[in-house]
């Protein structure tokens, strides 16, 4: 068996992860695989070890159909805000694979889990929400490692989804995740491929010592997005520190 350099398999999964919409096959997901993926999500760090997440597995077609109708209506709401090139580009972008995927995992945040004294949340209420997002990222990476795809759908109103799945008012539905086998994981994110938005170069978002002045930050982001990224991040740090 060939041995990979330390960490290589992890970075490979990290960079292969994609948000999937069109490539779902709808084939079954093995129960043991699903269990491992959910176990990975549940292994996430959480503020005060509150573990404020719940995962609702939605396979029922009627429920998924109702949710998809709502998502398409919300897609139209967003599309109505756009004009010109943005409207034209958005019209070509698929934003969900709810019916094509095998199942959906709805991830919810319960702020009362571990309350009243959540260690580390007294000053930052959002720390509970951050914890749920980390569970989602664990799930996403584990699914990628298992050869499956995940697609995050956020074109919904929280009260609609709460009502659809019978969640109490205090609980926030944080993500509707489409999950299942895929024909392939694209190398380039869909939004980049369609010309909606590109990933920024790393040096445009890494700063030495202090947050950059707003005007300076904007200029640097545009300049580095336009530049071919031959300068390394370390070089950029050096330039920053010399200023
Ligand atoms: C909080 C969040 C919400 C998202 N909502 C949607 C969505 O509603 N529809 C969609 O097609 N993609 C959605 N995405 C996926 C992003 O568009 C995607 O992550 C981004 O374009 C980068 O592509 P990649 O994930 O393939 O690297 C969402 C991602 C995040 C983190």
């Amino acid at each position: 068996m060939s041995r990979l350099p330390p960490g290589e398999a992890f970075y490979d999964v990290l960079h292969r992860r994609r948000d999937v919409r069109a490539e779902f096959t709808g084939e079954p997901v093995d129960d043991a695989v699903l269990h491992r993926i959910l176990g990975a999500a549940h292994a996430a760090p959480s503020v005060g070890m509150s573990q404020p997440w719940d995962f609702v597995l939605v396979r029922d077609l009627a429920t998924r159909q109702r949710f998809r109708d709502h998502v398409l209506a919300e897609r139209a709401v967003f599309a109505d805000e756009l004009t010109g090139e943005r409207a034209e580009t958005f019209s070509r972008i698929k934003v969900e694979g709810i019916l094509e995927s095998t199942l959906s995992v709805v991830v919810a945040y319960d702020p009362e889990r571990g309350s009243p004294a959540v260690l580390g949340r007294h000053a930052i209420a959002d720390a509970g929400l951050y914890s749920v997002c980390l569970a989602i990222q664990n799930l996403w990476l584990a699914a990628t490692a298992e050869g499956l795809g995940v697609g995050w759908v956020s074109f919904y109103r929280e009260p609609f989804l709460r009502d659809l799945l019978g969640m109490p008012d205090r609980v926030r539905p944080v993500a509707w995740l489409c999950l299942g086998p895929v024909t392939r994981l694209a190398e380039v994110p869909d939004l980049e491929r369609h010309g909606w938005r590109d990933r920024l170069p790393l040096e445009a978002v890494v700063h030495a010592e202090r947050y950059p002045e707003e005007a300076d930050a904007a200029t640097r982001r545009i300049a580095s997005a336009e530049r071919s990224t031959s300068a390394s991040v370390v070089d950029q740090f050096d330039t920053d520190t010399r200023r």
Side-chain angles (χ1 to χ4, degrees):
M1 201 179 82
S2 70
R3 284 180 59 82
L4 292 168
E8 186 165 309
F10 174 74
Y11 283 103
D12 173 62
V13 167
L14 190 88
H15 291 294
R16 275 195 302 109
R17 182 210 56 78
R18 276 283 75 77
D19 186 81
V20 177
R21 299 132 183 132
E23 292 87 3
F24 288 112
T25 66
E27 287 164 335
V29 174
D30 188 80
D31 279 348
V33 171
L34 183 58
H35 194 262
R36 279 200 295 271
I37 292 172
L38 294 169
H42 190 51
S46 60
V47 64
M49 199 138 184
S50 53
Q51 304 154 75
W53 43 68
D54 284 281
F55 307 96
V56 182
L57 310 184
V58 182
R59 298 177 194 270
D60 183 69
L61 208 51
T63 307
R64 288 198 273 161
Q65 185 73 61
R66 277 190 65 200
F67 182 67
R68 183 166 182 272
D69 291 347
H70 173 72
V71 166
L72 294 187
E74 288 301 328
R75 185 205 157 96
V77 169
F78 180 66
D80 279 350
E81 295 169 2
L82 305 174
T83 55
E85 177 278 326
R86 291 285 83 182
E88 163 65 23
T89 304
F90 182 66
S91 70
R92 292 192 299 271
I93 297 176
K94 183 169 165 64
V95 298
E96 53 77 33
I98 299 162
L99 298 180
E100 300 92 327
S101 58
T102 308
L103 76 157
S104 295
V105 181
V106 180
V107 187
Y109 167 51
D110 183 353
E112 279 184 15
R113 187 82 44 82
S115 286
V118 178
L119 186 155
R121 204 184 66 183
H122 77 284
I124 303 177
D126 283 345
L129 212 47
Y130 305 159
S131 308
V132 175
C133 293
L134 294 172
I136 294 170
Q137 180 72 346
N138 271 13
L139 183 156
W140 211 335
L141 293 174
T144 309
E146 297 280 0
L148 303 180
V150 171
W152 186 325
V153 185
S154 59
F155 280 72
Y156 64 82
R157 303 285 162 172
E158 290 184 16
F160 176 90
L161 187 46
R162 213 177 263 131
D163 187 49
L164 184 69
L165 301 183
M167 292 175 180
D169 285 349
R170 69 168 192 283
V171 171
R172 290 189 69 184
V174 178
W176 179 292
L177 303 175
C178 303
L179 173 68
V182 288
T183 50
R184 68 187 185 101
L185 290 175
E187 271 186 35
V188 179
D190 263 18
L191 297 195
E192 264 189 68
R193 192 165 54 81
H194 284 289
W196 180 262
R197 205 168 154 74
D198 294 337
R199 196 175 295 281
L200 293 164
L202 181 57
E203 67 264 28
V205 293
V206 180
H207 315 289
E209 309 303 344
R210 281 183 63 80
Y211 196 82
E213 300 285 329
E214 295 290 3
D216 188 35
T219 316
R220 282 187 54 196
R221 280 197 186 115
I222 293 162
S224 46
E226 285 170 350
R227 207 174 46 228
S228 68
T229 52
S230 54
S232 73
V233 175
V234 176
D235 291 344
Q236 188 66 45
F237 277 152
D238 290 347
T239 315
D240 282 353
T241 358
R242 277 198 298 270
R243 259 191 209 142

